[in-house]
Amino acid sequence: MRLRAVMAVPSLRWSVLAWGLSVIAETASLVVLLVVAYEVGGPGLLAGFSILRAVPALIVTPVVIGWSDRGRRESWLTAVLATRSGLLALAAAFLVAGAPMAVLLVGGLASVLFSTHRPMSGALLPHLATSPAQLTAANAASAFAESAGTLAGPVLAGVLLVVGPPPLGLALAAVVVGAAAVAVRRIHDVTSPGDPGSAMTLASAIREFGVGLRALLQEPPLIALVFVQTFARGVLLIAVVVLAVDTFGQGDPGVGWLTAMMGVGGLAGSAAAAALVTSTRISRAVAVGVALWGLPMVALGFLTVPAVGYLGFAIIGVGNAVLDVGAFTLVARVIPPTILGRAFAAFEVILVLGVTIGSLVAGLAVPKFGVGPSLGLTGCVLVTLAAGSIPWARRLDTRLIPGDNVSALRECRQLDSLPLAAVDHLAAVGVERTFADGEDVMVQGAVGDDFHVVMSGRARVSRNGTMVAELGPGSGFGEMALLRQVPRTATVTAVGELTTFAISRLDFTVFVAGHPSAAAAVAHVAQERALADERRGSR
């Protein structure tokens, strides 16, 4: 039900669809590229290809995310997807021409750009969702789309490796990425253009990356859990080829079949995450996801046979979906919206580093110690760290329960269509004010400089000395003067002790009047009140 509700919101639907298509293209092209690398240079070139994909991403991701923070993220994401489509088409052409190293180079660059998609998408979702529950559900929908893509992409690649030439898989990936770009183009009026500021340079990108990284480091256990999981992903990137081709004897298509099992598990995992990962269990979902990655790897360390391999990869897919929902929702909840894009860029760099180091270690360890022991030791590290992080996860989940200010703002009719990022910002910058019985909150004819939301108590609204309304908790007032640039149109007086949450004119203008849906809601309330005044005046 929660996933269907998310898909009913057009902007969320297009964002989730674009991510799913992007993953299909990435996983399908990656299977082809891994096969090419293994055939040309074995495990050593597989590790080298992982470095080729990773090192440029450490530079490209912060720069692209920094640029996207200064403009419309949806426009930047469209441009990135279109560029990826062109690179994959070029890689297909090189494969037709029999130039495998050029294929790996161009295909690797396309994968580098893929690393920018999730940070931009993650920074967009808080501007599309209107509540923590909707944000969690949106991340669950994204995890479902990722799992579906992780299943569909390798299956398509495996089929094409059997029935057609390898370039066909890369050409199909180029088309699918192009479709993702079209989907992103359907997202409109989400974020206002940022302040362009000074020109983006490598030095400024590093500084802004540092801002995001410092924000993430406020939660060290989160960074540790995500890093070891991506380290394990890097190990698995090498192991999946060795397992499928050599250990299980299933040849090149087996790489696609085994990888696809992660997608099968991911579909089940994302459905479970949508039901079980709530705003009060976000951090614990991260720990559970890491444990579900580790346990199958431990099992493969003891019994490296196809049945355990395929079942284990399915369980890893479940863990991956649960982890993604928890981790990406958690980052969006604990990082201020003004630096969220940079935080997600730093987050992605950590992911890339983990995969790179894991691939390097596996490239050295698998030929020397064997694929089973390498997977088993990695799994033991993951399970141990996941178990040790449970106390931290419980404390953080308790801290993330919305406070009274946030709850009151979400109940306010004028603000209920605001995205979660805006509500959290207003809750942080607004001021709680208390008024004694009979004290005026605002006076008719005075200059209006703030908007109020009743948190507790009641307020009497009077116009020209006549009472016209009484407001209770969750009611907002004061928007008329701010919207229409006129003096206060009514006097509001406390009835008993009254507590309100005041939002300044500047913050109201930027975060409420500047958001299309919220501005429409505020204008509708203002129009209703104006019509009510006309009806009273005509009596």
Side-chain angles (χ1 to χ4, degrees), residues 239 241-250 304-306 371:
V241 182
V242 178
L243 284 172
V245 176
D246 293 338
T247 308
F248 299 161
Q250 295 174 342
T304 313
V305 297
V371 67

Side-chain angles (χ1 to χ4, degrees), residues 9 30 73 86 102 219 274 283 315 399 404 428 452 469 487 489:
V9 180
L30 185 58
R73 292 190 183 99
E219 300 294 341
S283 307
I315 295 173
R399 199 180 84 201
D404 292 340
H452 291 256
T489 59

Side-chain angles (χ1 to χ4, degrees), residues 72-98:
R72 291 190 178 276
R73 292 190 183 99
E74 57 271 28
S75 298
W76 272 97
L77 185 51
T78 302
V80 166
L81 289 168
T83 304
R84 277 180 61 201
S85 180
L87 287 172
L88 288 170
L90 183 59
F94 278 129
L95 196 52
V96 171

Side-chain angles (χ1 to χ4, degrees), residues 140-155:
S142 295
F144 184 88
E146 180 176 344
S147 299
T150 303
L151 171 60
V155 167

Side-chain angles (χ1 to χ4, degrees), residues 69-322:
D69 269 354
R70 299 175 180 215
R72 291 190 178 276
R73 292 190 183 99
E74 57 271 28
S75 298
W76 272 97
L77 185 51
T78 302
V80 166
L81 289 168
T83 304
R84 277 180 61 201
S85 180
L87 287 172
L88 288 170
L90 183 59
F94 278 129
L95 196 52
V96 171
M101 297 308 294
V103 172
L104 296 178
L105 176 62
V106 176
L109 291 177
S111 288
V112 168
L113 291 179
F114 174 73
S115 69
T116 68
H117 189 148
R118 192 64 192 254
M120 281 190 276
S121 178
L124 268 176
L125 286 182
H127 293 276
L128 305 177
T130 58
S131 69
Q134 193 175 65
L135 177 62
T136 304
N139 278 309
S142 295
F144 184 88
E146 180 176 344
S147 299
T150 303
L151 171 60
V155 167
L156 286 172
V159 170
L160 293 176
L161 285 171
V162 172
V163 304
L168 192 57
L170 293 176
L172 177 63
V175 173
V176 173
V177 164
V182 173
V184 174
R185 287 288 296 169
R186 301 298 298 272
I187 302 175
H188 300 294
D189 299 325
V190 175
T191 55
S192 300
D195 179 8
S198 58
M200 176 65 70
T201 63
L202 179 58
S204 63
I206 292 173
R207 286 195 299 271
E208 295 193 8
F209 168 79
V211 171
L213 182 61
R214 284 192 295 273
L216 286 176
L217 289 176
Q218 298 301 310
E219 300 294 341
L222 172 63
I223 302 304
L225 286 168
V226 169
F227 179 81
V228 296
Q229 181 267 331
T230 52
F231 177 92
R233 184 184 289 275
V235 172
L236 213 60
L237 192 66
I238 306 300
V240 66
V241 182
V242 178
L243 284 172
V245 176
D246 293 338
T247 308
F248 299 161
Q250 295 174 342
D252 294 347
V255 179
W257 312 141
L258 195 55
T259 304
M261 288 305 296
M262 288 184 64
V264 172
L267 291 175
S270 55
L276 300 176
V277 181
T278 67
S279 56
T280 59
R281 291 198 293 264
I282 299 171
S283 307
R284 277 168 283 189
V286 177
V288 170
V290 171
L292 290 174
W293 261 82
L295 290 171
M297 298 180 84
V298 172
L300 276 167
F302 287 99
L303 194 59
T304 313
V305 297
V308 175
Y310 278 86
L311 178 60
F313 270 66
I315 295 173
I316 287 172
V318 174
N320 193 64
V322 173

Side-chain angles (χ1 to χ4, degrees), residues 433-450:
R433 299 180 60 184
T434 301
F435 301 88
D437 182 30
E439 184 178 355
D440 289 335
V441 181
M442 57 183 61
V443 178
Q444 185 174 354
V447 175
D449 55 9
D450 51 16

